[in-house]
Amino acid sequence: MKVNKFIHLLYVPTMACNMACRYCYLEDNTKDEYHNMKALDTLKYAIDKMKSSNVIPFNISLHGGEVTTLSHDDFYDLIRYISDYYEQNKELIMNAGFKIGRPHIKTNLYSIDKHIDIIKEFNVSISGSLDLPLSLHDEYRITKGNQKTLEKIFKNIELLEDIPNKKKVSSTVFREHYSYIDEIIEDIKYLHKNTCLDMNDFNFMIGFDYNSNGILHHMSEDEQVEFYKRMHKEFDGTDLDYGVNGPWFDEFGPGYCSNCDNCGEKFFLLEKNGDIYSCVRGQKNPDYYYGNIYNNSVEEIMNTAYNKIFKNHNKEPFNEECRKCGYLYLCKTGCPFVKNNYKSNKSYTCKLQQLMYQDRNYSKDEYNDEFVYEYVTKMRLEDISKYIPTRRNVNDYPLLEDIIKCDKNLEYIYDDNSFILKVDNQLYKLESQIIKKTRDVVYFTPNSKIVIYMKKDLINEVCEYPENNSLYIMLLTGNLVTYGDENRTKQRHVCTHQIYKGVLDYIESDKEGFYKYDISNLIKEYKYMYSNENFNNIFFTTSALRDYHYVKQKNNAYYHIQAINLPFQNIEFYYIDKELNNE
């Protein structure tokens, strides 16, 4: 039985936009180049294809471009489809622990009057954009005809008064806006008092320098903190207390996309032409492009998503401040897109987040060392041996090294003198991947001569009948897959290969005391399976030792916890083949 995977899906039914905001991250892409395609067709096709692969959108939001530039019929068809989708999949979504929403649109509010009847009929929830202070709105947010927009937007907000569902606005704050804090405060009060907007349900977003054409600039971390403090000073204890202590700054809390281990497992943006990206931040950026729903399988898209986010998190080394602060379990070092934009290795709102965590009574992680080790193991390329947590006292569970010392059979599994890999003329002494102190990466080509040497005595260990024992090889691609009751994401297994004692005895070896086996053809046979972006992996043990490892896992919980990943001697590799790369 396959396990369902639930995702948040943003759908972009049109790239067209009626505005030309001076700092638009999409720049010149705000035009509909696929006007001959029906917007609903792609969404229906994508969801049907995803569901057939057990990938279930629990939330579907419409984004742009600008959604309200759609024709009345196209807008109606999309909203009705999403409304029906929630109703038809209500039980499935709720049983997975998610709430059933309503159709939702992200809009600049300039043309919602065109679709107000549909918005009312289907109780569409609205998330609009305003620039605060309002005095700057028309300076930055103009139409493509260079017309001001604020007056019409205010008239459209009046049309939302009778809509029972959520209607909210958000504002992005740059340094240029920060200079007008007093005006922002007064404008929030004005909007709360004089419009149908409940300003308790409002979001601040902290702008970052990306495609802003040099017009707007990011706030420093100290300015972000000062902005946050000013809002609290003004609104704590007022009728907007809930907002300033909740939704206003929730984007920086643990419930948002930037606080995932790997957002490539959960968040996807689908464009009308079938292209899939990470989100609005990564839209049109090749580093965050996952594939096309018409051309790629859902499995390929999901694997690419995980791998690209993993790769982008690792463009900069893990920050030692993140190791020590105690809040890593909440922030996960922040959004990879913004980190790479700033060439940083921690969240661009780090100080603000730490202050907010304190104000909201999030405790520092009592088991921070253990979480850091788990996080680095899953999400980073650093040498994990630096992060192995130390026991807090002698009564804590025994460490892996102690368990190995107490079990002679385990010592053979982890012996670092048992396997030697020879690639052309270079020798690599192999160690267990979970206890090694360094990380070797090799490059294989179609012409590489690749030989594994195994200590002959190993064929007799933990084995009553050595003739039934074998050299056991496990080949894994760098591409990832999620499977099993525990829903773990791991490298995809490509093959296992066993060479029995009789064969090994027959092959002449040039290394005394070692069996020799040429794996060049084995590596080449699966060349189409290897990842070009992530390290591929090959492990060596004997079939008897492999069996003993799993018996030990079953009988010893402390061993299982610390050896949950394959413990055998290994090496990681890239496969370089010009013919493959040119296909």
Side-chain angles (χ1 to χ4, degrees):
M1 176 180 173
K2 289 188 176 181
V3 177
N4 288 328
K5 189 176 186 69
F6 290 84
I7 65 167
H8 183 114
L9 182 65
L10 285 174
Y11 180 48
V12 178
T14 178
M15 290 297 298
C17 188
N18 45 19
M19 288 173 60
C21 300
R22 299 189 189 278
Y23 53 87
C24 179
Y25 64 93
L26 288 172
E27 294 183 314
D28 296 329
N29 289 300
T30 56
K31 52 185 179 291
D32 188 2
E33 296 181 342
Y34 301 96
H35 54 274
N36 292 326
M37 297 179 66
K38 284 190 65 66
L40 180 58
D41 289 347
T42 299
L43 181 61
K44 288 177 64 176
Y45 178 87
I47 288 180
D48 289 345
K49 189 170 181 177
M50 288 176 177
K51 289 186 68 179
S52 69
S53 296
N54 295 93
V55 175
I56 315 296
F58 70 88
N59 183 285
I60 305 170
S61 299
L62 297 181
H63 212 285
E66 171 53 40
V67 179
T68 59
T69 62
L70 290 169
S71 71
H72 190 273
D73 288 347
D74 281 346
F75 188 80
Y76 177 87
D77 289 345
L78 280 169
I79 296 300
R80 179 169 183 172
Y81 171 80
I82 295 170
S83 181
D84 290 345
Y85 173 85
Y86 284 142
E87 186 62 32
Q88 293 163 6
N89 295 278
K90 182 176 182 179
E91 185 175 345
L92 177 65
I93 294 171
M94 292 184 68
N95 286 343
F98 299 101
K99 294 181 179 179
I100 291 292
R102 301 295 307 171
H104 177 80
I105 64 171
K106 177 69 176 176
T107 173
N108 58 32
L109 298 170
Y110 189 73
S111 296
I112 58 170
D113 52 318
K114 287 173 48 180
H115 304 297
I116 196 65
D117 56 332
I118 301 171
I119 290 170
K120 288 182 178 180
E121 179 181 352
F122 291 96
N123 289 340
V124 177
S125 65
I126 306 290
S127 179
S129 301
L130 282 176
D131 267 13
L132 295 180
L134 296 173
S135 63
L136 293 184
H137 182 96
D138 283 336
E139 182 173 341
Y140 300 121
R141 300 178 70 82
I142 57 175
T143 69
K144 288 187 172 177
N146 206 32
Q147 301 294 311
K148 296 179 180 180
T149 61
L150 185 60
E151 183 178 352
K152 184 178 180 185
I153 286 172
F154 263 102
K155 288 181 180 179
N156 283 339
I157 289 174
E158 291 178 9
L159 299 176
L160 300 177
E161 186 167 0
D162 297 330
I163 295 173
N165 215 343
K166 180 179 288 190
K167 41 189 179 281
K168 63 179 291 186
V169 292
S170 60
S171 294
T172 304
V173 184
F174 290 88
R175 175 171 286 167
E176 285 72 12
H177 302 100
Y178 169 78
S179 303
Y180 295 83
I181 291 182
D182 290 337
E183 279 193 45
I184 291 175
I185 289 171
E186 292 307 311
D187 286 343
I188 290 173
K189 294 176 181 178
Y190 173 83
L191 291 169
H192 189 59
K193 181 178 180 180
N194 296 287
T195 73
C196 64
L197 299 173
D198 178 1
M199 292 301 286
N200 275 299
D201 192 10
F202 167 74
N203 284 109
F204 279 119
M205 294 176 285
I206 305 297
F208 52 92
D209 300 350
Y210 177 69
N211 287 359
S212 61
N213 301 309
I215 293 172
L216 295 172
H217 306 85
H218 70 273
M219 291 191 289
S220 69
E221 287 199 62
D222 288 338
E223 287 170 335
Q224 295 170 21
V225 168
E226 178 58 27
F227 183 87
Y228 172 87
K229 288 181 176 179
R230 283 291 307 277
M231 292 299 127
H232 276 277
K233 181 179 179 181
E234 186 68 33
F235 293 106
D236 279 347
T238 71
D239 57 351
L240 291 172
D241 180 273
Y242 173 79
V244 75
N245 286 284
W248 288 14
F249 295 97
D250 270 354
E251 184 184 353
F252 317 107
Y256 269 61
C257 56
S258 58
N259 305 117
C260 299
D261 282 353
N262 188 313
C263 60
E265 296 179 292
K266 299 180 181 179
F267 296 89
F268 299 84
L269 180 144
L270 169 69
E271 291 187 348
K272 182 181 180 180
N273 69 341
D275 284 344
I276 295 182
Y277 293 88
S278 59
C279 60
V280 294
R281 289 178 174 178
Q283 197 174 359
K284 299 303 184 185
N285 188 305
D287 286 344
Y288 297 86
Y289 172 70
Y290 298 159
N292 185 286
I293 195 65
Y294 290 114
N295 301 329
N296 301 102
S297 70
V298 174
E299 192 172 66
E300 288 173 328
I301 290 167
M302 300 297 286
N303 284 336
T304 300
Y306 186 96
N307 290 335
K308 284 203 170 184
I309 295 301
F310 180 90
K311 182 177 180 179
N312 280 299
H313 269 296
N314 282 280
K315 286 187 175 180
E316 299 290 336
F318 183 54
N319 191 306
E320 287 301 301
E321 292 179 20
C322 299
R323 175 184 185 176
K324 300 171 184 175
C325 88
Y327 289 123
L328 180 66
Y329 78 105
L330 296 175
C331 95
K332 314 295 177 62
T333 76
C335 172
F337 181 90
V338 187
K339 286 191 298 184
N340 292 333
N341 188 60
Y342 285 148
K343 294 182 170 52
S344 173
N345 56 5
K346 67 175 183 176
S347 173
Y348 76 120
T349 55
C350 178
K351 287 186 178 180
L352 171 59
Q353 286 175 258
Q354 291 193 51
L355 179 58
M356 192 184 78
Y357 296 152
Q358 294 168 22
D359 287 349
R360 299 190 179 190
N361 297 315
Y362 287 111
S363 300
K364 291 196 173 187
D365 189 358
E366 181 182 356
Y367 295 95
N368 181 64
D369 289 348
E370 286 83 352
F371 183 84
V372 169
Y373 177 74
E374 178 184 324
Y375 173 79
V376 172
T377 300
K378 179 179 181 182
M379 282 301 298
R380 311 301 300 205
L381 293 174
E382 275 78 8
D383 176 7
I384 62 173
S385 65
K386 298 191 304 182
Y387 302 95
I388 295 174
T390 57
R391 282 179 294 184
R392 298 164 185 270
N393 56 64
V394 294
N395 295 320
D396 281 348
Y397 60 80
L399 295 180
L400 180 60
E401 292 90 335
D402 299 327
I403 296 173
I404 294 171
K405 289 177 183 178
C406 294
D407 187 332
K408 182 180 179 181
N409 293 333
L410 286 180
E411 290 184 0
Y412 299 120
I413 293 176
Y414 293 91
D415 179 32
D416 59 7
N417 293 304
S418 293
F419 291 94
I420 299 171
L421 188 73
K422 185 177 182 180
V423 183
D424 299 320
N425 293 315
Q426 182 70 41
L427 296 176
Y428 299 90
K429 190 169 74 167
L430 304 186
E431 301 175 81
S432 165
Q433 72 159 357
I434 63 175
I435 61 173
K436 64 172 63 174
K437 305 299 183 186
T438 59
R439 190 172 193 174
D440 288 323
V441 179
V442 296
Y443 292 84
F444 298 152
T445 72
N447 299 319
S448 293
K449 177 77 169 177
I450 310 166
V451 172
I452 185 68
Y453 295 95
M454 182 181 81
K455 189 184 295 184
K456 287 186 175 181
D457 292 345
L458 207 63
I459 204 76
N460 302 309
E461 306 301 347
V462 200
C463 180
E464 189 174 354
Y465 302 104
E467 283 294 327
N468 293 334
N469 204 1
S470 63
L471 166 62
Y472 196 96
I473 303 172
M474 290 156 281
L475 190 59
L476 286 71
T477 177
N479 297 320
L480 303 176
V481 64
T482 301
Y483 60 91
D485 289 344
E486 55 194 335
N487 206 25
R488 289 183 66 206
T489 299
K490 301 192 291 185
Q491 289 183 309
R492 177 186 292 280
H493 283 255
V494 174
C495 78
T496 59
H497 193 75
Q498 293 176 258
I499 307 95
Y500 284 85
K501 181 179 182 297
V503 176
L504 295 172
D505 286 335
Y506 180 79
I507 299 172
E508 184 177 349
S509 177
D510 57 352
K511 189 177 290 293
E512 186 176 353
F514 283 81
Y515 288 121
K516 175 184 177 181
Y517 187 73
D518 191 323
I519 61 172
S520 304
N521 289 332
L522 175 66
I523 296 295
K524 191 183 301 184
E525 180 179 355
Y526 297 99
K527 62 183 181 180
Y528 292 102
M529 298 297 298
Y530 302 135
S531 171
N532 293 321
E533 295 185 339
N534 301 305
F535 301 139
N536 304 286
N537 220 330
I538 187 165
F539 293 85
F540 303 92
T541 187
T542 69
S543 53
L545 290 175
R546 176 185 178 273
D547 291 345
Y548 187 80
H549 160 71
Y550 286 109
V551 169
K552 188 72 174 183
Q553 274 198 335
K554 181 179 179 181
N555 295 332
N556 189 313
Y558 299 130
Y559 178 75
H560 186 276
I561 290 170
Q562 298 172 83
I564 193 169
N565 294 318
L566 290 176
F568 311 113
Q569 292 87 336
N570 81 306
I571 200 161
E572 294 171 296
F573 68 91
Y574 283 115
Y575 191 84
I576 309 299
D577 187 331
K578 290 183 180 179
E579 291 185 7
L580 285 177
N581 293 337
N582 289 332
E583 287 184 356

